[in-house]
Amino acid sequence: MSDRSRGRGQTKNNPLSDGSDSDRQRGTMAFQYMLMYQNSREEEIEVTDQEGRLLNRTITVIDPEIKQEVQDMLEKEFTKKNITSHMTWISECLMHRDMMTVFVMESNNSARDIDVAILKALLKANKHLDMVQLKLALAWNRIDVARSELFTEDKKWDARRLENVMLIALQENRVDFVKLFLEHGVHLRDFLTIKRLLHLYNTIPTNNLLYTLLEKEKRDESCDYFSLLDVADVILELMGDFFKPFYHRDEILCNIVTEKYMTDHPDNSDPFITTNTGPNGSHTLIRPKTSKSTHRDKEATYQFPEPVRELFIFSILLLRREMAILLWEEGKEPIAGALMAQKLLQGMKQKTEDTELQEKISSLEEYFSKTAVGLLNECYLAEETRAQMLLVRELTNWGESTVLQMAVQADNKYFISHSCCQTLLNNIWMGRLSLDNGIFRILFCVVLPPFLFLLIKYRTEEKLKMHENRIKGEKQKRMDSYNADVQQYGDTDPNNVELNSIHSEEELGLPNDKGYVAFGEPDKKQDSDNVYDFDFRRGGRKLSWWQKIAFFFNAPLVTFIYNCISYIAFLSLFSFILLTNFYPSISNAEIVLIIWVFTLFVEEIRQVVGDESSNWALKWANYIHDPWNVVDVITITLFIIGITLRFINNADCFEWARIVLALDLMLFFFRILHIFSVQKHLGPKLVMIGRMMIDLISFVVILAVFIMAYGLASQAILYPNAKLEPQLIQDVLRKAYWQMYGELFLEEIEGQIDCSSDSMFYSNGTLPRCVANNWVVPILLGFYIMVTNILLFNLLIAMFSYTFNKIQEKTDEYWKFQTYFIVREYYNRPPIIPPLILIAHVYLFVRYIARNCCNACQVAGTGFKMKFEGFEEKQLVLWENMLSDDYIRQQKSQEMESVPNQVKETKKQLDDLTSQIEGAAETGSDPALGTGIKISTELEQRLNYMEKQMEVTFSALEWLVKMTAEKNGISPPKLENLKEKKLQVEEQKHQRSLEEKEKMQKLFVEQIKLNVKSRTNPYPTKDGSVISRCNVPDDKVPWTVSFDEYKPTEFTAPEVLEEPYWADPNLLAYQPQKRPRLNFNNYDTVYRISRKSYIREYKITEDLFPRNPIGRTGMIGRGRLGRWGPNHSADPVVTRWAKNDQGQHLLNEDGKPILEFASIQRQDSGAYALPGGMLDPGQPVHKALQAEFREEALGSLVEGQSAQRTAIENKLARLFGKGVEVYRGYVDDSRNTDNAWLETLAVNYHDEDGTIIDHFKLRAGDTVQTASWQQCSSSVELHASHIQILQKVTEIHQAAF
């Protein structure tokens, strides 16, 4: 017997997508759907499953009147030729009522809720596929639906299952979903693999700024993908050379092959892990076998140390604000993260010229800038010392930089001007000296160093004294407690008390034999006597005399003072030489000056070499970035030129040397302005001068245009045809420039008395040349003076005023920001002053050689960068994260309590409430569907009562009118009789019912003629793959109609191509002349099947293929059908009379008896249908009819050797002995093609007296879901053409339908 499941397929239609329909027709079609949906109902029926258990299932029942109304509308809107297709589509869709959602667009809240309605409809269609539902909610970005429908308290999600959708959420920037997945257990360390991170960077939009940056920094142009090294190069380009990207420092990430990871591996995210599929479909992971750990194994098990950081950087580079903020809140070391984000955004803003994009970047940059300052303030208020540790701690996770360094590179003046940063800078500026030392005390000791032993205080000794006072206080407190105990309990030995209650001196932090105090020192390494090192964490200690000297002279403040004194001495010497002692013969003072400048030159070289950049080009670029370094380069260069000219034995060269050195001295004097940066009032003024210089340059460009214009015009008018020589250029510019300042040259312009127009005299300088015109140029001069002196100079003043006011408002920030560079410079500068600084340079050079060759003289840290390790680092990070969480909570609380947010929330609540009220008013009971008010039973009873009362009132009113008319002798008016009207309505209803039956019969015939279901898209494949037919309009179905554009899709299912016993050979695989000849239109003795059609003899094409006798279907091949040509099936229609509990026949409203038929529920589509199936080779039709009913409707009842089985078989023999043929012919089925189609023989087996199958309990077979008895009715929706077959059965028995 054939397997019924091989012939099943689900039909999916979309009648609204018909390209021939107009917008009005689509609207009408949608209205018809809604109308039938509203007026259809679901009824429960009892069914039997494969194990014989009774189950309740729902079926869709449609009101016949509404069905007729919809049919009339279809005829009016689509003409009669399309009525069959559309009516069939609507009926089939209503078979899956549970998968339908109707939404009224005219409702007030439709614009807002339509997406929710569509999404919920899709979720309803996939109610058993939770991952599909989650992906739908993710695609629609409806976090509210996901939280309410999917992530409920009674449903637990496996974190591993959420990883793939987590990746999609990150790609699509679904912030709320990422937060939701993190809340439900997604662990980023397990989630973020190398492949996933590469996938994220390689799926960014091509129009994104990051994509452009990656293309520029791409290392391997032949590779189609971006590598992590490309990402690192972009980060390095945006951050600067001070930052060392993690991907550059990690050995594994530096050596990965990107192509291996970007190859699709569906089973796992590891390209080095393969899978082995077992016989039961299970998958086993296979890792490469090796005896020792290899680089590939390390890649396979690699986990990012800080996955949140990687995703945070990814979000920043893609300018995703909400995602970046979420990941920043989830990460560690928030201050460093915020500053890195600010620096990255600054770099990206410089890489684009899009104004709108720059504004977006600036907004996000401002957020992270303010957040970093806010977090620093939170930490500083909590604990000052730890906050300073945060500023200088070396951040391994953030490019081995520091918070302070990133803030400076990001130009975050508010951050640097914060009290925490300024306190740190003050501590570094003072070195080991106490902050209580006044400037005059330090200056006095600078002049007279021996007094430092008496006047200077040191921070370490102050800490020691404070700690001793604390210990004394502890001792006194304990002694007071002892005395109180003595008074209360009597005499006690005080020595014992002290031994038990007082710790050792070392435990309490008193100085030990080495002079150190134990408290506040996290590491023994910090007790070194390196005077170049500064650590504000150091505890108290006793200082020796030489340590006091070293600490005093190594303080950056003292170094600064001595350098100022040295520089003043240098300028005095230089001035003395140029003014009084600059002769051709060199003097001792000049030799000292040359050596002095040489030491300054070496110091500049030290600054370049000491830069932290990785290569010389970047070192030089960073050096030139400081304007004062540019001044240093110019001054030293001019000095070298001047000295070189000075040693050339030539009087002119010597004179030029004097001029060059004089100019050089002027620049050296300008250099002294740098010293003023330390002063709070003068420092900002230097910033103003620098900004105003920029304004002046732009102003000079404009001014030069007017100078050139006026100078050329006036020269050409006054002295035409002048000789081309350098003096001409000077004459053009000289007058025009100086006239701006009031030197008008009026005598020369208006004409001199002693002058000549003869070129012989004025060319040799005997007499000045006379002007050619003396009245035009004065007029031009008037306009020129007015424009330059009044307009342009006032413009320059306005520009300067704007710059001044702009900086004046932030004077404190600018000065504090400049302080950092001064402190940094003199912290790194050797304490020995020029020209003796050369000794320090020799020492530093030797130390540099030792470090690079012998790894000696390594310094653990400096005042601007300290390395923390172990427990101390963990405690510091944990402390920062805790304060960060508190700060974030405070900010969110303030935002929630803000007036704008409260107004917004109130408005949202009012809108929701209004929409619910409006929805209830519009829809009555279901606001989501908008399907109209449903009348309850109680309301229906009240309406019936009112109708009866109106009839009584009408009768009384009619009597009153009649009596009044007779009394007045006039004829009474004729009133409409309500009873007659009601009878007329009922009669019309009955007539329409008869017409509906007639039309349904026509509809059945019309449906077959048009191959309606045989043209449905997509084709119902077994594996769910989408195969689309060629579109065939209704009027192009017949073969007699020409259709030149017809290009049918070729498809034969894989299970058919395997050629099982029920399938023919694949003729398409053969050449036309070699194809096997099948005996079409006859009985095929080779395959033992009949290839005759029930309809008529079908045609054979030129390629020897049978042609569908009805018409085109849009597909060639066999699809899922096994036979070429007709595929014969058998459909037994087993019926009985419906009876009540008393055994009486049930009648409908018209008094006709009601039939019940045996139905089954298909496994593929869930639709109800008649039992039936394909004929096997050599199987007679009547045997197939009986076998199909046994297999599908009786199931296991007819198996075994029990007495029950024997009784059932005997009854079935009686039943099948009196069958009546109902239908023989073509079946309009969704599996049909141009070359293969279904034909069936339907036979009715009826138990008239109920003695055979009245007490049968149907049981579902293996190939169906359920089996049940159902009443024959036109409102029942059945598969394919089964409803028409059922109608013929009711006509035979004159039963209700």
Side-chain angles (χ1 to χ4, degrees), residues 974-1144:
K974 188 176 183 181
L975 300 178
E976 187 175 11
N977 194 321
L978 294 181
K979 292 184 178 180
E980 293 181 359
K981 182 66 175 178
K982 185 176 181 180
L983 292 175
Q984 291 178 2
V985 171
E986 292 179 354
E987 181 64 25
Q988 291 176 0
K989 181 179 179 181
H990 178 69
Q991 187 65 27
R992 290 183 60 180
S993 177
L994 296 177
E995 294 176 356
E996 179 191 357
K997 293 181 180 180
E998 183 180 354
K999 288 187 177 182
M1000 284 191 64
Q1001 184 64 32
K1002 295 180 180 179
L1003 184 67
F1004 173 59
V1005 177
E1006 188 71 17
Q1007 176 180 333
I1008 295 178
K1009 289 182 179 180
L1010 294 179
N1011 262 342
V1012 174
K1013 296 186 178 181
S1014 301
R1015 293 182 286 128
T1016 54
N1017 268 320
Y1019 189 85
T1021 57
K1022 187 175 182 180
D1023 57 1
S1025 58
V1026 179
I1027 306 295
S1028 299
R1029 300 176 184 266
C1030 172
N1031 185 31
V1032 181
D1034 290 351
D1035 56 345
K1036 301 293 184 180
V1037 171
W1039 295 106
T1040 55
V1041 179
S1042 177
F1043 191 11
D1044 297 335
E1045 298 82 7
Y1046 183 54
K1047 295 181 180 179
T1049 303
E1050 179 183 331
F1051 173 69
T1052 301
E1055 62 268 21
V1056 178
L1057 294 176
E1058 293 176 359
E1059 297 188 10
Y1061 71 94
W1062 47 266
D1064 289 336
N1066 184 18
L1067 300 183
L1068 292 172
Y1070 296 90
Q1071 297 292 333
Q1073 61 274 15
K1074 296 182 180 180
R1075 285 177 184 155
R1077 301 300 178 95
L1078 302 180
N1079 195 9
F1080 293 119
N1081 286 308
N1082 286 295
Y1083 184 82
D1084 193 331
T1085 57
V1086 177
Y1087 294 94
R1088 298 166 53 214
I1089 60 170
S1090 174
R1091 299 190 187 274
K1092 293 182 179 180
S1093 173
Y1094 291 145
I1095 310 172
R1096 56 181 176 272
E1097 183 175 332
Y1098 49 87
K1099 294 185 178 180
I1100 309 301
T1101 64
E1102 297 178 355
D1103 296 332
L1104 303 179
F1105 292 113
R1107 194 168 70 176
N1108 191 307
I1110 300 301
R1112 300 180 177 91
T1113 64
M1115 178 176 289
I1116 60 175
R1118 286 174 291 167
R1120 292 182 61 191
L1121 299 178
R1123 304 297 180 184
W1124 295 97
N1127 289 254
H1128 293 293
S1129 65
D1131 291 316
V1133 186
V1134 179
T1135 58
R1136 69 182 184 183
W1137 295 110
K1139 298 179 181 179
N1140 57 21
D1141 295 338
Q1142 289 74 31
Q1144 299 174 345

Side-chain angles (χ1 to χ4, degrees), residues 2 6 1121 1127-1129 1173-1176 1179 1188 1231 1238:
S2 64
R6 73 169 186 254
L1121 299 178
N1127 289 254
H1128 293 293
S1129 65
M1174 301 292 185
L1175 270 64
D1176 284 341
Q1179 184 183 31
E1188 291 298 334
R1231 294 162 289 178
L1238 274 172

Side-chain angles (χ1 to χ4, degrees), residues 710 718-719 730-752 771 777-778 781 784-785:
Y710 169 75
L718 294 174
Y719 307 106
Q730 180 182 353
D731 293 338
V732 170
L733 299 178
R734 181 175 62 90
K735 297 188 187 68
Y737 180 77
W738 291 110
Q739 283 171 345
M740 292 189 305
Y741 304 110
E743 183 61 43
L744 302 180
F745 303 100
L746 290 177
E747 294 180 356
E748 184 177 344
I749 293 174
E750 294 177 350
Q752 300 180 12
V771 297
V777 175
L781 177 60
Y784 174 68
I785 294 297

Side-chain angles (χ1 to χ4, degrees), residues 827-857:
Y827 176 83
N828 294 323
R829 186 184 289 266
I832 305 176
I833 61 175
L836 301 179
I837 196 174
L838 194 60
I839 300 173
H841 292 154
V842 173
Y843 165 75
L844 293 175
F845 179 74
V846 173
R847 191 178 70 173
Y848 175 79
I849 297 299
R851 284 182 181 178
N852 288 274
C853 298
C854 308
N855 292 325
C857 303

Side-chain angles (χ1 to χ4, degrees), residues 37 93 146 200 376 379 542 852 934 1064 1168 1217:
Y37 180 85
C93 288
L200 288 174
L376 180 63
C379 296
K542 294 179 180 179
N852 288 274
K934 296 183 179 180
D1064 289 336
Y1168 287 94

